[in-house]
């Protein structure tokens, strides 16, 4: 924002308290992510809106088409239902429908993820819905370092970027350089390198898979763990190359399974790297149910390292 | 208006029940006993109770994320609710819903709702059911000042007018949508906006149980008589933060305490009752004690109740698959 | 509707002209599908609404939860963006969130499909978005006979059913019995039976694939063509059984490819019937782009029999 | 108000251009020459031209499915538009958009739009750009009576008020949303609804170019001066069906013809001009002839223009991938 005054923030309570008699920057977003920016940049660039998602997301889309670089915050991705048209039919399609005559440098930040017992309407991971829509880019960082690099990339990108932040990770601590750096979309990162099996994941699931990888290593199973970083664009090459080497694929994803992101990766590999596959593709996802409130059920719902290990064991056992 | 002894007794009891339920939840949450996001409505009791005292069993309500008061006032079972916030299998949603999704269709309660504004069209749907089946039941939608700016709400004000639905819009204006003041977020005049959709609208002091009861009662009779939707603006105040954990620094210091001392809705009703002579201070005291032990008992029950089974995760996704 | 007066229709212009000075039943929906029902059942059961999708779809959801059996018409599925919350977070989740204490006998009818040069906002096939959402049922008929049986099933079902009608098929003619009959969801139909390759499709794509099958037969390639009828529930068994026989799978779908329905089927087979697969799975879908207006581009966009044949040739050639 | 000769000349020319473009499209479509869904605005010209004559090049508009008039009036190129409806590569969207998606960002035209109400928040976004960058440009959102009931529209009226955006809401009320009369679909009073959001609102006879020009001019100056959003209700009439192919039986027989005879907006402007003496009948005749041959030439151009290449399908999905 210091670098470019066309960058603005817009959303509900991203300052928190605008126009009130108490502290004007009381919240900085529901998780305090944007706290302090109001004080530095003022109400003209850190804009608290009424609770009207269709309208303020649409405002961000219109602003992006006319020269600003808005970062809109949708709080929870579950609220996509309240502004979906502006994403599905406007932001995603403008450039194409208008024959390439417009850019859409828009970022929409939103929380995803279960684990807080926030129940069915505040815990979803809806990246598959957005990945299905041509014209959008979809990103989900797996660490503070990744978050910074991918967010700066998102802000400088000229396409609409849907930026998912797992709500369980706001307290994660990690090395983050002070200076600016960007991480390009569509280039996966190898967390670990092993020749027995390929594991693909995204966001918080990468860390959870890494725990599984550590366990597996004790049993001499060496896994390549790929952090995909963005689902659209997707680094198909890195996935397929790894499967060519390992012959086995496990995908871990927190979204619903049907027409989900795990299925997406599985299908790509089943069509593009079939020859290399030595075992069925295993997908570790939640069941196809809404997200339950009770912690015991929610733990049952979420993927966990044990399930990743079971899936790896299954693909390793196949055909042996 | 003439409130009788029985009604006042019931109203006072329900208000105290909501208050003590909320206080209890607050304490339990501070102790870390409760999972999930919790939004408390303590301070706003005259609104939900004043309106629901006018409702029949087969009338419908929809509620919000801040729904404990609405659903308790409409008749949700205290023990089942407590079990639910404790995420127990015996909870009103079998532990699948939690604080934000309390519902009991048999009592006409279409649920608290985690999506701001979403309850509004749902209530219109319940009203359409009444109208289509020729019943005399009506619907009430409780929503906040923040929700008044949602498309779902605004569209439904128009739809309800066009279809002449038996629907009461109950706007509970507690001055804030999360940390954003309603004075900032609502453009124009609250009543004029509703009237602009052709809906008769009226404001009432939401701290004054009797005023709420009477105003809502008038409107509900008009609605029941086929007069179409009505809009009631209730000025209320919430004591706790937006959700449990919110320090609420967007409010000026001392505001809450001042409010509690001067305008507490239970205090106002209490004074009215005593002055009217219909119940004695000792009666009220007794009610209070009874409610407290009811709430205690519910907590005990909830603590001991069983958690859901892992296999419950797959049930109730579909009626048939 | 004659059978049960809890059944109502609600939507924009489903009568068309309500309250006006001209003909009151002028339209019967944008394609005339509901024409005549207003005259028979009146404005109380065939309800024209203002243009407010969130509100009237939500009204249908609330009505379904309280005892009516509404059939809402969304005109074009592209308009899902304007009412998505009521589907994603309300209709789909009520039963689960409330611990099973509510039924949701709701049908939402909507048009899908490209081929009319209706461009990016009126041509989409968004069944994958809805298939991703647990709690919804998703149906797409492939002929007039199927349409009647599946629609009656949908109306009598106690879950929210998303009913897709391809706009190019309204003029299709076919044998339809006068009497009531239902076709259960999740039971696929075999259009043709052959042992060389399995082709799965849905809706209009079934007919297009059938043209390919006829061509292929001339070259002695015998295909099993499966009309899946519903994506949720999905008849995984029939698909897998057929692949066990043929060893080869081609999926034809009109939705976008990423996290789409073709990928969904491919992933299921790659994980559940991998052992039987003798060739990579081929998916015949549009490219991952919005839908272009120009007929030449739209034809390029859509799957066609030639591409199905190419895909079959590819899987047949594999490994030979 | 004093309209000068040049302005009147220009206005008349633009109105006739829209009319003849629409008539031509109607004929071409009847002949089966044009693909796609087409919505014509013939009859409504005084509104789009009367408003756009007040706009600067760097002002923004958003439009609707019925957008030919708006975008022509704001300056879209006739030849490029004709090429587009013919689905040609030289079209304004290179054949990818068609009738419902005409746009030219360089001229401040954020596009016609196939989603009812969607243009409203988009126009607010353009207005926010002007405000944030400190420009004196403003935005105009054209929308129909049907769109007035969409959540996107209603939410944005509030948002525009709260953020004090330089935005003119131009409600073109042609009496129908598809086959449904606005008298049925709009609850309450049109102006009062807007005023309920705190937006100053005014009605004007949308058949009278001069009245539109003046009313819009006043409001636009207020907006440009930082006064925040304004709302203009224009009473208009469309001659053709909702889309090409609609028999429009929901309208009483003879209504269109009566309207064309008595209240046609071009006829009214023509009479005004001649009476004012600023232009002679022969001048108007000449304008008409010129426009007709311009439109003819555009059709010729479009017929001969190349279709998109198959490979175009993959371009312009992303700026970078
Ligand atoms: C569609 C949607 N947007 C945003 C939120 C986040 N949120 C939860 S409560 C709330 C404030 C609601 O304010 P109001 O309607 O006044 O109710 P109150 O909390 O004051 O009772 C917000 C913004 C949400 N749950 N749903
Ligand atoms: C969100 C959405 N709902 C419905 C439609 C279908 N539709 C297209 S035009 C139209 C009527 C619009 O009426 P109005 O706003 O008065 O504009 P007019 O057609 O009269 O110019 C409708 C319902 C749509 N395109 N988008
Ligand atoms: Mg509030
Ligand atoms: Mg209209």
């Amino acid at each position: 924002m210091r670098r470019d005054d066309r960058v603005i923030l817009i959303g509900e309570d991203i300052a928190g308290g605008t126009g009130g008699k108490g502290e004007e920057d009381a919240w900085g977003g529901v998780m305090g992510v944007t706290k302090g920016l109001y004080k530095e940049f003022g109400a003209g660039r850190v804009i608290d809106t009424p609770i009207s998602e269709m309208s303020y997301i649409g405002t961000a889309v219109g602003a992006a088409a006319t020269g600003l670089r808005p970062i809109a915050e949708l709080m929870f991705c579950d609220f996509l239902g309240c502004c979906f048209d502006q994403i599905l039919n406007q932001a995603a399609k403008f450039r194409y429908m208008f024959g390439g005559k417009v850019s859409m440098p828009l970022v929409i930040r939103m929380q995803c993820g279960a684990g807080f017992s926030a129940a069915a309407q505040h815990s979803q991971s809806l990246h598959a819905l957005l990945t299905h829509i041509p014209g959008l880019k979809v990103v989900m960082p797996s660490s503070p370092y990744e978050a910074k690099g991918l967010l700066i990339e998102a802000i400088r990108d000229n396409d609409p970027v849907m930026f998912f932040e797992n709500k369980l990770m706001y307290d994660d601590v990690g090395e983050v350089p002070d200076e600016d750096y960007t991480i390009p979309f569509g280039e996966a990162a190898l967390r670990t390198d092993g020749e027995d099996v390929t594991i693909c994941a995204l966001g918080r699931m990468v860390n959870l898979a890494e725990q599984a990888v550590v366990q597996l290593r004790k049993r001499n199973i060496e896994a390549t763990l790929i952090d995909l970083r963005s689902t659209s664009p997707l680094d198909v090459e890195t996935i397929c190359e790894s499967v060519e080497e390992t012959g086995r694929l496990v995908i871990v994803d927190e979204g619903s399974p049907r027409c989900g992101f795990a299925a997406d990766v599985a299908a790509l590999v089943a069509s593009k790297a079939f020859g290399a596959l030595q075992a069925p593709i295993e997908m570790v996802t939640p069941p196809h149910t809404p997200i339950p409130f009770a912690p015991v059920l929610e733990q049952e719902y979420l993927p966990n390292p044990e399930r990743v290990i079971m899936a790896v064991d299954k693909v390793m056992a196949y055909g042996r | 208006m003439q409130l009788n002894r029985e009604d006042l007794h019931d109203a006072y009891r329900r208000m105290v029940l909501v208050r003590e339920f909320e206080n209890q939840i607050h304490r339990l949450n501070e102790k870390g006993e409760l999972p999930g996001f919790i939004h408390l409505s303590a301070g706003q009791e005259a609104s939900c109770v004043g309106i629901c005292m006018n409702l029949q069993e087969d009338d419908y309500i929809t509620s919000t994320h801040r729904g404990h008061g609405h659903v308790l006032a409409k008749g949700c079972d205290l023990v089942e609710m407590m079990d639910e916030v404790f995420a127990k299998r015996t909870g009103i949603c079998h532990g699948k819903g939690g604080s934000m999704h309390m519902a009991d269709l048999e009592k006409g309660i279409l649920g608290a709702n985690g999506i701001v504004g979403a309850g509004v069209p749902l209530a219109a749907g319940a009203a359409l059911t009444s109208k289509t089946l020729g019943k005399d039941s009506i619907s009430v939608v409780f929503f906040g000042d923040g929700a008044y700016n949602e498309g779902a709400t605004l569209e439904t004000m128009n739809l309800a007018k066009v279809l002449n639905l038996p629907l009461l819009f109950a706007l509970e204006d507690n001055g804030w949508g999360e940390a954003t003041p309603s004075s900032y977020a609502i453009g124009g005049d609250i009543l004029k906006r509703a009237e602009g959709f052709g809906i008769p609208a009226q404001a009432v002091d939401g701290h004054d149980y009797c005023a709420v009861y009477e105003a809502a009662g008038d409107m509900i009779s008009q609605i029941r008589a086929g007069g179409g939707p009505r809009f009631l603006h209730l000025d209320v105040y919430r004591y706790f933060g937006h959700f449990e954990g919110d320090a609420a620094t967007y409010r000026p210091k001392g505001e809450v305490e001042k409010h509690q001392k001067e305008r507490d809705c239970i205090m106002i009703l209490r004074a009215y009752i005593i002055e009217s002579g219909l119940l004695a201070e000792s009666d009220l005291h007794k009610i209070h004690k009874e409610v407290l032990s009811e709430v205690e008992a519910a907590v005990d029950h909830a603590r001991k109740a069983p958690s859901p089974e892992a296999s419950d995760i797959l049930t109730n996704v579909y009626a048939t698959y």
Side-chain angles (χ1 to χ4, degrees), chain A residues 13 17 22-23 48 52-53 121 294, chain B residues 95 101 114 150 178-180 184 249:
Chain A
D13 301 295
E23 192 185 351
D48 271 351
S52 322
E53 289 77 14
Q121 295 176 336
Chain B
H101 306 297
E150 272 286 357
E178 293 191 344
T180 299
Y184 169 80
T249 57

Side-chain angles (χ1 to χ4, degrees), chain A residues 2 13 18-19 22 43 65 76 91 108 111 145 165 183 212-213 257 276 312:
Chain A
R2 284 191 200 112
D13 301 295
T18 301
F76 294 83
I108 302 183
Q111 290 177 49
Y145 176 87
E165 304 170 5
I183 298 176
V213 170
V312 169

Side-chain angles (χ1 to χ4, degrees), chain B residues 44 65-66 144-147 172-178 180 182 238:
Chain B
Q44 309 188 174
H65 55 288
R66 199 178 303 292
D145 47 286
E172 297 185 317
D173 182 357
N174 60 10
W176 300 90
E178 293 191 344
T180 299
S182 57
R238 76 166 142 78

Side-chain angles (χ1 to χ4, degrees), chain A residues 13 16-23 26-27 48 50-53 75-76 79 116-117 119 121-122 289 293-297 300-301, chain B residues 35-37 84 87 95-98 100-101 113-115 146 149-150 177-181 184-185 242 246 249-250 309-310 313 317:
Chain A
D13 301 295
T18 301
K21 285 182 212 139
E23 192 185 351
W27 272 28
D48 271 351
I51 308 177
S52 322
E53 289 77 14
M75 213 177 297
F76 294 83
F79 307 161
F116 264 7
S117 303
Q121 295 176 336
H122 283 75
T289 71
F293 162 64
V296 287
L297 296 178
E300 193 64 25
Y301 176 88
Chain B
F37 286 165
E84 187 64 30
K96 282 178 174 166
M100 264 192 292
H101 306 297
N113 207 308
I115 303 297
N149 302 315
E150 272 286 357
E178 293 191 344
T180 299
Y184 169 80
H242 167 69
D246 171 20
T249 57
Y250 44 84
E309 312 276 319
I313 194 169
V317 184

